[in-house]
Structures are given as C-alpha cells and as structure tokens.
C-alpha cells in the first residue's frame, strides 16, 4: 500500500469513526467469516483437548472441580520408564517420524533439484504426478500400497512371472515407514523445489564465470539457498508423520503401535477422552510450534512472484 | 572438438540420469494408484497372471445401494464445503493481500495454521467440541469441520494469485472514481478469478477425499471414504478398488482442469508483460 493510500485511509477513518462502518468495510468484513469459523471450530477443539486432558479418566463431560494431572503422570511415567505400552509407543513413533523425515529428505532433494533446474520437457507431467496423490484420500492411497504389497498382490504376482518368490511384505516396521515416506514426501519435495527454483540463473552463471566447480556450486550456492526449504520440509514431515494413523493401521496391521493409534484407541474403543487428550497435548504443542515457525518462514509474496 | 563432443555426450547422459531419477520418483508416487486401477479391472479375488480384464466391479459398485447412499452423503457435505470455503477463503485472501492493517502477519499465521495440523488432531478435538457444545454429529458438523481445514487452503491458493496482481491497477481504478464495491466487482475479483476457480476445484477434491475429519464428525452417516475404510479393514472385495479408482479418476480430471486454468493465467500474465 502506498503512502498516499495510507493517508487516505487515515483521513477516511477520521471522517467517519463509526464502528459499524469499519466492520462492514474491507479488510475487516473479509476477515470476519474466517475468524469466526476458526474461533468456533479450531480454537474450541484445541481448548477441548487441553481441558479434557486434566479431567479424571472416563469423563465425557467437563467438570472444573475435578481437574487432575493423573493422566500426564501416567503417560510421562510410562515414557520415562521406557517400559510398557507408552515406552514402546513413544520409541516406535519417534523412530518412524525420524526415519520418515530422513528418507523423504534424501529421496526428495535430488528430485527437487532436477525439477527446479534440469527438467525442461514433460515438467508439467512430472509435477502433476507429484500433485495428484496429495489430492487423493490418504486411506485410498495407503490401500493402494496394501494391494501392491499384500500376499499374492500386484508385486508378488509380477515377481512370480520371473520365478521370484518373496516372503510376506506387509505388517512390518519398514512397511509403515514406506507408507509415511510415501504420504508425506510431497511436503518435503515442494518446499525444497520452490527454494532451489528461487536461485536465479545469473547467480549460477556468475559463479561459473568465477571458476566455481560443480561441487563448489552445490556447497556454496544450492545448499545454503535451499536451507529454508529443507527446514520447512523437515518440520512439516516430522509433525505430520507423528500423527500418522492410517499408515500404521493398514500397513502395520496392528502389530506396531504408534502414538496416533494409541490416541485414537483411547477415543474409540476405550472411550477414555481424558487419557487420549493428554497424549494428544504433546502432539499439539509440537504442531503449534512447528506451524508457527513454518508460517513465519514462508513468504507468500516470494512464492507469488516466482509463479509469474 | 573431441572434448566438445565428449562434454555434450556427458551432459546428455547426466541429463538423462536426472530424467531417469525424477521418472522413478513419479512412478513411486503413482504406484499405489496404479495398483488400485489394476485391481479394480481384475476378474477374480486374487490377482495373478494371465490378467483377466473385467468392468464388473465398477457395475457392482455403482449398483450397490450402500455405495449410492455414501456418494449422496458425501455430495451433501462436499457441495456446501466447496461453496462456503471458496467464499471464506477468498475473503481471507483479499483481506491479507490487498490491504495493510495492524496484526496482518498474526492474521496470516492464525488463518493458515490449520493447514499444518495433523488431521487426526483436528478430528478428535472437533469430536469432543461437538459433544460439549451440542453441535452433535452428522452432515452439518462434518461441513463445519472440513471448512476449518479447507478454507485456509483456498486462502493460500487465492493469495498466491492475488499477490501477483499489480497494486497500481487498484490505485488507478480509485483515481478514476471507483468506490469500494465497484473496485472489487469490476477490478479485483476478475483479476483473481483464476485463483478462485482453482481454489474451488482444490476445495471440492479435498472435501470429496477427506477421511480423518469426516470419520470423527460424521456420526452414523457413511461417506465414500469412510465406506471404503470400513470395507478395506473387513476383508477384501474388488468393489473397494473399483470405487476408490472412480474417486481417483474424478480427482485426476478436476486437477488437470485446475492446472490448465493456472497455466492459462500465467500465459495471460506473460503476454501482458511482453507488451
């Protein structure tokens, strides 16, 4: 907004100070629907998670008189002991999330670099094949992996053509990691792709003219300039894979329990909302912090200027 | 000369390797979707060669009354979500991109934060909140729940388009005497219309494919994704891949349309900048 516009704006508000007038004029009127929606159905649910987490077990209503930290004590105690269901769930979840973050980073980086700098022909087709899965229901995609990996499924039938027999491929830790890597890889690939794409051709030419080797180009230009993309991607993938439930349920077949499974079990079968909420609070805190860091790093203006 | 040839050969091989790698990644991304399609056309319960092609499962899926009612319920959620999230998200994008106000960055963070939430967390919070507030479970709570996740995504998509519109156009329109309503109706909205249309298409596809939020808020209603989820954990019948494939085809067609619209917008921009 220009200075003149700002002055006009200030003059305008001096001319007419009625609150109603401000409310029905932009930008306030544009912000109201989204703000009301999120205040009701986003802040409210977050508050529910926090409030239920300090209620005694098996409560389906809130009672301010009975708040307790027993749920936290149970969970934290279990995690510290490292024994029992919480210890196992904790180590499974962290292992899966860390492995997923590393795997998506390692496999995305070269692809993001190639898409940003090397691929000219069929680029649209490649990009579309990366976007389409994002818009297909997560349980349908994971189901596709089940059909691929299941006993006498697509993979085993294909391998059988060449006389290769394989043991059962489903229901192991690595199949869950394969599933989460698959589902969350676009969240790593696109931020890195955008940050590498932002490096201007002139920068590369100048560096080459100054005698930089390929390795130096990578170490001194590509890597530092793609750092924001890497950070956003890692935060994104780590947080989202902490909440992966369908992947563990379908590809792990219930043999490996993650935090998301445990939370959903507390809500579904055992109807223990307070216990489920207390487990969800940990995930909530990590999510909010990571979300704010990501959003402060993302510059919409920069993305927009690149698109045109 | 010989070094020239060898470098061009080397760079061609290098280029081919990049294409090969990205091709593999693209294949990885499409693999489960291909598996669905292969299973959906196969005549039999257990997949083996030789491949016996049939479209029976599609016919059975379309004829099933439980599938029909799931599709109807999903439509009852998806259509209002598409319309409302497009309006809410576009309004948010216009506020953020076309105006300057105190707390603008805070508004952006608050408005876009739901995109970064694991859906299971949103779903279970919403389920408790629905119970506490008496909103209950069913089609209406599912609509409100999906709006929380999808409106910010529309806002994101429209913001990208709106930020590439030259602010001078707005100033020029004001100088020529346009009031706020005229300014929006005749200048800003037409300029960001491509972003709004692709935002609406994204909203439709995401709502149609939503699983987590709907599964927590739907109550006794069954949607397409929850129907599929229920069936796939209960033992295999090829009707499930057939229905899942149909959802995939629909999403694919709509996404291609959205991408074409986006590209058309870029071509217009490129033409404008040439003049």
């Amino acid at each position: 907004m220009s200075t003149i516009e700002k002055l006009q704006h200030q003059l305008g508000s001096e001319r007419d100070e009625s609150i109603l007038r401000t409310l029905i004029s932009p930008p306030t009127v544009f912000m109201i629907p989204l703000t009301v929606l999120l205040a009701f159905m986003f802040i409210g649910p977050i508050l529910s998670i926090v409030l239920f987490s300090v209620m005694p077990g098996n409560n389906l209503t809130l009672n301010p008189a009975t708040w307790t930290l027993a749920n936290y004590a149970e969970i934290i105690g279990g995690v510290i002991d490292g024994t029992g269901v919480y210890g196992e769930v904790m180590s499974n979840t962290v292992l899966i999330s860390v492995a997923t973050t590393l795997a998506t980073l390692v496999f995305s980086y070269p692809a993001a670099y190639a898409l940003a700098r090397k691929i000219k022909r069929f680029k649209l087709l490649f990009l579309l094949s990366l976007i389409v899965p994002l818009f297909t229901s997560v349980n349908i995609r994971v189901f596709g992996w089940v059909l691929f990996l299941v006993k006498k499924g697509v993979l085993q039938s294909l391998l059988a053509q060449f006389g290769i027999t394989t043991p059962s491929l489903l229901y192991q830790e690595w199949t869950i990691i394969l599933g989460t890597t698959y589902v969350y890889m676009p969240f790593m690939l696109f931020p890195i792709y955008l940050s590498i794409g932002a490096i201007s051709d002139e920068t590369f030419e100048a560096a080459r003219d100054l005698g930089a080797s390929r390795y130096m180009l990578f170490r001194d230009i590509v890597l530092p300039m793609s750092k924001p993309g890497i950070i956003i991607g890692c935060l994104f993938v780590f947080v989202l894979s902490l909440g992966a439930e369908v992947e563990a349920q379908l590809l792990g077949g219930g043999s490996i329990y993650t935090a998301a499974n445990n939370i959903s079990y507390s809500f579904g079968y055992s109807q223990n909302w307070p216990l489920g909420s207390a487990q969800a609070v940990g995930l909530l805190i990590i999510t909010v912090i990571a979300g704010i860091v990501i959003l402060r790093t993302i510059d919409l203006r920069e993305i927009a200027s690149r698109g045109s | 000369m010989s070094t020239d040839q060898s470098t061009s050969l080397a760079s061609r091989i290098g280029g081919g390797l990049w294409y090969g790698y990205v091709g593999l990644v693209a294949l990885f991304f499409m693999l489960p979707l291909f598996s669905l399609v292969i299973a959906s056309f196969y005549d039999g319960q257990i997949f083996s060669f030789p491949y016996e092609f049939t479209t029976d499962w599609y016919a059975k899926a379309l004829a099933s009354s439980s599938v029909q009612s799931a599709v109807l319920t999903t439509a009852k959620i998806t259509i209002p979500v598409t319309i409302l999230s497009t309006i809410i998200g576009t309004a948010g994008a216009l506020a953020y991109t076309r105006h300057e106000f105190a707390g603008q960055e805070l508004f952006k963070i608050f408005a876009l934060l739901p995109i970064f939430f694991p859906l299971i967390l949103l779903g279970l919070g919403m389920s408790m909140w629905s119970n506490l507030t008496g909103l209950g479970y069913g089609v209406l709570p599912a609509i409100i729940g999906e709006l929380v996740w999808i409106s910010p995504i529309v806002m994101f998509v429209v913001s990208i388009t709106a930020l590439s519109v030259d602010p001078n156009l707005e100033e020029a329109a004001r100088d020529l005497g346009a009031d706020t309503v005229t300014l929006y109706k005749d200048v800003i909205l037409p300029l960001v219309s491509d972003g709004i249309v692709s935002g609406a298409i994204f909203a439709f596809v995401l709502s149609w494919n939503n699983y987590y939020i709907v599964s927590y808020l739907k109550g006794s209603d069954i949607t397409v994704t929850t129907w599929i989820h229920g069936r796939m954990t209960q033992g295999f019948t090829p009707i499930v891949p057939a229905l899942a494939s149909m959802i995939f085809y629909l999403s694919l067609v709509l996404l291609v349309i959205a991408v074409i619209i986006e590209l058309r917008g870029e071509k217009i921009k490129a033409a404008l900048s040439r003049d």
Side-chain angles (χ1 to χ4, degrees):
Chain A
M1 195 188 266
S2 68
T3 328
I4 296 173
E5 269 182 289
K6 244 185 234 168
L7 282 172
Q8 277 174 344
H9 202 73
Q10 279 165 5
L11 285 174
S13 58
E14 261 174 35
R15 269 204 306 272
D16 190 339
E17 287 191 339
S18 101
I19 296 165
L20 190 71
R21 186 68 192 241
T22 342
L23 275 179
I24 59 161
S25 68
T28 320
V29 68
F30 291 152
M31 289 159 69
I32 289 172
L34 191 57
T35 312
V36 169
L37 172 73
L38 295 189
F40 177 67
M41 204 62 174
F42 181 56
I43 300 296
I46 290 176
L47 275 178
S48 310
I49 294 176
V50 175
L51 290 177
F52 268 108
S53 74
V54 292
M55 287 290 118
N58 294 316
N59 255 30
L60 295 181
T61 48
L62 288 177
N63 183 358
T66 60
W67 79 284
T68 165
L69 290 175
N71 299 311
Y72 289 100
E74 185 184 335
I75 296 161
I76 294 168
V79 170
I80 290 171
D81 281 350
T83 53
V85 64
Y86 292 111
E88 199 193 312
V89 160
M90 187 71 184
S91 57
N92 278 343
T93 310
V94 172
L95 174 81
I96 288 170
S97 289
V98 170
T100 305
T101 311
L102 287 177
T104 50
L105 179 61
V106 167
F107 290 115
S108 299
Y109 201 93
Y113 176 75
L115 277 167
R117 305 221 45 97
K118 298 287 178 184
I119 303 277
K120 299 279 184 283
R121 279 194 293 169
F122 312 116
K123 189 170 170 174
L124 188 64
L125 201 67
F126 285 126
L127 284 176
L128 205 61
S129 70
L130 309 181
I131 294 170
V132 164
L134 270 182
F135 286 87
T136 312
S137 181
V138 60
N139 60 349
I140 291 178
R141 279 179 284 155
V142 173
F143 181 56
W145 275 112
V146 173
L147 291 174
F148 184 75
L149 295 170
V150 76
K151 208 172 175 191
K152 297 196 174 163
V154 176
L155 181 64
Q156 282 198 345
S157 312
L158 281 174
L159 290 176
Q161 293 303 296
F162 304 102
I164 304 166
T165 49
T166 48
S168 174
L169 297 166
L170 276 178
Y171 311 139
Q172 289 157 46
E173 203 143 61
W174 75 265
T175 44
I176 301 180
I177 296 172
L178 175 79
T180 49
T181 301
Y182 173 79
V183 171
Y184 302 113
M185 195 155 139
F187 297 95
M188 183 68 87
L189 211 156
F190 281 108
I192 299 177
Y193 165 70
L194 285 172
S195 58
I196 296 180
I199 310 170
S200 69
D201 290 339
E202 287 86 354
T203 314
F204 278 94
E205 271 163 42
R208 255 187 238 117
D209 287 348
L210 294 168
S213 67
R214 278 186 186 191
Y215 171 70
M216 281 160 79
L217 279 179
F218 176 75
R219 191 196 58 191
D220 295 336
I221 297 176
V222 179
L223 199 59
M225 300 272 288
S226 60
K227 218 166 120 190
I230 295 175
I231 293 169
I232 291 177
C234 288
L235 284 173
F236 230 151
V237 172
F238 185 76
V239 169
L240 290 176
S241 52
L242 281 178
E245 187 212 358
V246 169
E247 295 88 341
Q249 188 195 351
L250 292 179
L251 294 170
S255 61
I256 292 132
Y257 238 57
T258 66
N261 295 127
N262 221 21
I263 293 170
S264 118
Y265 183 83
S266 300
F267 276 86
Y269 299 97
S270 62
Q271 288 277 316
N272 194 340
W273 286 7
L275 189 64
S277 299
Q279 295 173 68
V281 165
L283 184 54
L284 183 71
I285 293 169
I286 299 172
T287 303
V288 171
I289 294 172
I292 290 173
V293 171
I294 293 171
L295 280 166
R296 287 179 71 104
T297 323
I298 288 182
D299 188 348
L300 290 180
R301 267 160 241 279
E302 217 183 298
I303 299 173
S305 67
R306 228 171 288 150
S308 52
Chain B
M1 178 132 177
S2 67
T3 47
D4 259 19
Q5 266 175 351
S6 68
T7 48
S8 87
L9 185 67
S11 77
R12 223 183 295 162
I13 292 172
L17 283 177
W18 287 117
Y19 269 89
Y21 182 72
V22 176
L24 279 178
V25 171
L27 182 71
F28 174 63
F29 274 83
M30 296 309 284
L31 200 61
L33 296 165
F34 290 151
S35 299
L36 270 182
V37 174
I38 290 171
S40 72
F41 283 117
Y42 187 70
D43 179 17
Q45 297 268 343
I46 296 160
F47 182 70
S48 68
F49 284 96
Y51 190 81
E52 291 160 48
F53 183 87
T54 177
T55 53
D56 269 9
W57 302 114
Y58 285 83
K60 286 200 174 105
L62 291 172
S64 150
S65 62
S66 68
V67 169
Q68 285 167 359
S69 94
V71 169
L72 192 68
T73 310
T74 311
K76 277 187 202 157
I77 297 171
T78 296
I79 293 167
V81 165
T82 306
I83 296 168
L84 292 172
S85 66
T86 305
I87 296 169
I88 297 171
T90 302
L94 292 177
Y96 175 70
T97 59
R98 311 307 299 174
H99 297 274
E100 243 171 53
F101 51 91
Q104 192 170 12
E105 279 304 292
L106 213 63
F107 174 68
K108 178 190 99 173
I109 290 176
F110 174 61
L112 298 182
L113 197 57
I115 303 179
F116 302 89
F117 264 63
L119 288 178
I120 185 174
L121 212 52
L122 285 179
L124 60 90
M126 285 172 184
S127 128
M128 287 187 289
W129 180 248
S130 268
N131 183 57
L132 277 184
T133 54
L135 183 64
Y137 305 93
V139 170
L140 181 69
I143 291 171
I144 301 175
E146 282 191 11
L147 281 177
V148 167
W149 185 60
I150 295 176
S151 305
I153 293 175
V154 175
M155 173 173 158
F156 190 91
V157 173
V158 178
S159 291
I160 301 295
T161 314
L163 283 170
S164 59
V165 172
D166 186 356
N168 290 325
L169 286 172
E170 239 169 284
E171 219 161 316
R174 279 211 190 274
D175 287 348
L176 292 169
D179 59 28
T180 307
V181 175
T182 319
L183 178 72
Y184 274 96
K185 192 165 64 78
D186 294 342
V187 182
I188 298 179
L189 284 179
L191 282 170
V192 297
S193 62
D194 281 342
I196 298 174
V197 172
S198 28
I201 293 176
F202 288 157
F204 181 87
V205 176
L206 287 172
S207 170
W208 193 263
N209 280 290
N210 184 280
Y211 166 69
Y212 277 115
I213 293 178
V214 156
S215 76
Y216 276 103
L217 291 178
K218 67 183 176 55
S220 57
D221 295 312
I222 306 285
T223 67
V224 174
T225 49
T226 54
W227 186 90
I228 290 173
H229 195 87
R231 289 298 169 99
M232 65 195 177
T233 45
Q234 276 166 25
F236 181 74
T237 138
I239 297 180
V240 180
L243 180 63
S245 298
M246 281 190 271
I247 298 180
F248 163 57
Y249 305 145
L250 177 73
S251 310
L252 185 65
V253 169
L254 288 172
L255 284 175
V256 169
I257 293 172
V259 168
I260 290 171
I261 290 170
E262 282 289 305
L263 283 183
R264 199 188 59 185
E266 271 178 31
K267 268 189 196 138
I268 293 169
K269 264 180 256 159
L272 280 175
S273 62
R274 261 205 305 276
D275 287 343

